[in-house]
PDB file of all heavy atoms in Angstrom:
ATOM      1  N   LEU A  22      12.680   2.534  38.500  1.00 39.00           N
ATOM      2  CA  LEU A  22      13.322   1.193  38.401  1.00 39.00           C
ATOM      3  C   LEU A  22      12.549   0.266  37.503  1.00 39.00           C
ATOM      4  O   LEU A  22      11.273   0.338  37.489  1.00 39.00           O
ATOM      5  CB  LEU A  22      13.464   0.529  39.705  1.00 39.00           C
ATOM      6  CG  LEU A  22      14.401   1.254  40.743  1.00 39.00           C
ATOM      7  CD1 LEU A  22      14.421   0.536  42.035  1.00 39.00           C
ATOM      8  CD2 LEU A  22      15.789   1.479  40.157  1.00 39.00           C
ATOM      9  N   LYS A  90       7.674  -0.481 -17.212  1.00 98.00           N
ATOM     10  CA  LYS A  90       7.414   0.872 -16.689  1.00 98.00           C
ATOM     11  C   LYS A  90       8.575   1.501 -15.934  1.00 98.00           C
ATOM     12  O   LYS A  90       8.802   2.665 -15.923  1.00 98.00           O
ATOM     13  CB  LYS A  90       6.094   0.860 -15.907  1.00 98.00           C
ATOM     14  CG  LYS A  90       5.585   2.197 -15.574  1.00 98.00           C
ATOM     15  CD  LYS A  90       4.257   2.110 -14.853  1.00 98.00           C
ATOM     16  CE  LYS A  90       3.679   3.466 -14.466  1.00 98.00           C
ATOM     17  NZ  LYS A  90       2.340   3.331 -13.780  1.00 98.00           N
ATOM     18  N   ASN A 141      15.158 -20.031  -5.083  1.00 92.00           N
ATOM     19  CA  ASN A 141      14.719 -21.314  -5.643  1.00 92.00           C
ATOM     20  C   ASN A 141      14.502 -21.286  -7.232  1.00 92.00           C
ATOM     21  O   ASN A 141      14.985 -22.176  -7.898  1.00 92.00           O
ATOM     22  CB  ASN A 141      13.344 -21.744  -5.025  1.00 92.00           C
ATOM     23  CG  ASN A 141      13.375 -21.767  -3.550  1.00 92.00           C
ATOM     24  OD1 ASN A 141      13.991 -20.893  -2.905  1.00 92.00           O
ATOM     25  ND2 ASN A 141      12.635 -22.632  -2.959  1.00 92.00           N
ATOM     26  N   SER A 152      21.622 -28.772 -17.693  1.00 96.00           N
ATOM     27  CA  SER A 152      21.302 -30.130 -17.929  1.00 96.00           C
ATOM     28  C   SER A 152      21.180 -30.322 -19.470  1.00 96.00           C
ATOM     29  O   SER A 152      21.281 -31.438 -19.991  1.00 96.00           O
ATOM     30  CB  SER A 152      20.092 -30.625 -17.216  1.00 96.00           C
ATOM     31  OG  SER A 152      18.884 -30.106 -17.743  1.00 96.00           O
ATOM     32  N   ALA A 206       8.119   0.016  10.952  1.00 98.00           N
ATOM     33  CA  ALA A 206       7.620   0.829  12.084  1.00 98.00           C
ATOM     34  C   ALA A 206       8.612   0.927  13.202  1.00 98.00           C
ATOM     35  O   ALA A 206       8.844   2.028  13.806  1.00 98.00           O
ATOM     36  CB  ALA A 206       6.334   0.186  12.598  1.00 98.00           C
ATOM     37  N   ASN A 259      -9.235 -28.188  -0.803  1.00 97.00           N
ATOM     38  CA  ASN A 259      -8.253 -29.301  -0.843  1.00 97.00           C
ATOM     39  C   ASN A 259      -6.791 -28.839  -0.921  1.00 97.00           C
ATOM     40  O   ASN A 259      -5.949 -29.558  -1.381  1.00 97.00           O
ATOM     41  CB  ASN A 259      -8.610 -30.269  -2.036  1.00 97.00           C
ATOM     42  CG  ASN A 259      -8.743 -29.497  -3.296  1.00 97.00           C
ATOM     43  OD1 ASN A 259      -8.082 -28.566  -3.534  1.00 97.00           O
ATOM     44  ND2 ASN A 259      -9.685 -30.068  -4.158  1.00 97.00           N
ATOM     45  N   ALA A 315      -1.495 -10.357  22.163  1.00 98.00           N
ATOM     46  CA  ALA A 315      -0.351  -9.476  22.426  1.00 98.00           C
ATOM     47  C   ALA A 315      -0.389  -8.246  21.521  1.00 98.00           C
ATOM     48  O   ALA A 315      -0.112  -7.143  21.962  1.00 98.00           O
ATOM     49  CB  ALA A 315       0.980 -10.233  22.145  1.00 98.00           C
ATOM     50  N   PHE A 386     -12.066   1.555   5.509  1.00 98.00           N
ATOM     51  CA  PHE A 386     -12.051   2.763   6.367  1.00 98.00           C
ATOM     52  C   PHE A 386     -12.914   3.885   5.708  1.00 98.00           C
ATOM     53  O   PHE A 386     -13.432   4.733   6.391  1.00 98.00           O
ATOM     54  CB  PHE A 386     -10.608   3.233   6.526  1.00 98.00           C
ATOM     55  CG  PHE A 386      -9.830   2.375   7.470  1.00 98.00           C
ATOM     56  CD1 PHE A 386      -8.480   2.210   7.271  1.00 98.00           C
ATOM     57  CD2 PHE A 386     -10.354   1.816   8.588  1.00 98.00           C
ATOM     58  CE1 PHE A 386      -7.690   1.480   8.099  1.00 98.00           C
ATOM     59  CE2 PHE A 386      -9.627   1.002   9.480  1.00 98.00           C
ATOM     60  CZ  PHE A 386      -8.312   0.929   9.280  1.00 98.00           C
ATOM     61  N   ASN A 426      -4.030 -11.025  10.102  1.00 98.00           N
ATOM     62  CA  ASN A 426      -3.281 -12.135  10.479  1.00 98.00           C
ATOM     63  C   ASN A 426      -2.451 -12.727   9.327  1.00 98.00           C
ATOM     64  O   ASN A 426      -3.016 -12.856   8.184  1.00 98.00           O
ATOM     65  CB  ASN A 426      -4.131 -13.302  11.034  1.00 98.00           C
ATOM     66  CG  ASN A 426      -4.606 -13.119  12.514  1.00 98.00           C
ATOM     67  OD1 ASN A 426      -3.872 -12.456  13.270  1.00 98.00           O
ATOM     68  ND2 ASN A 426      -5.745 -13.641  12.827  1.00 98.00           N
TER      69      ASN A 426
END
Side-chain angles (χ1 to χ4, degrees):
L22 297 178
K90 187 174 181 179
N141 308 33
S152 74
N259 54 34
F386 286 145
N426 278 332

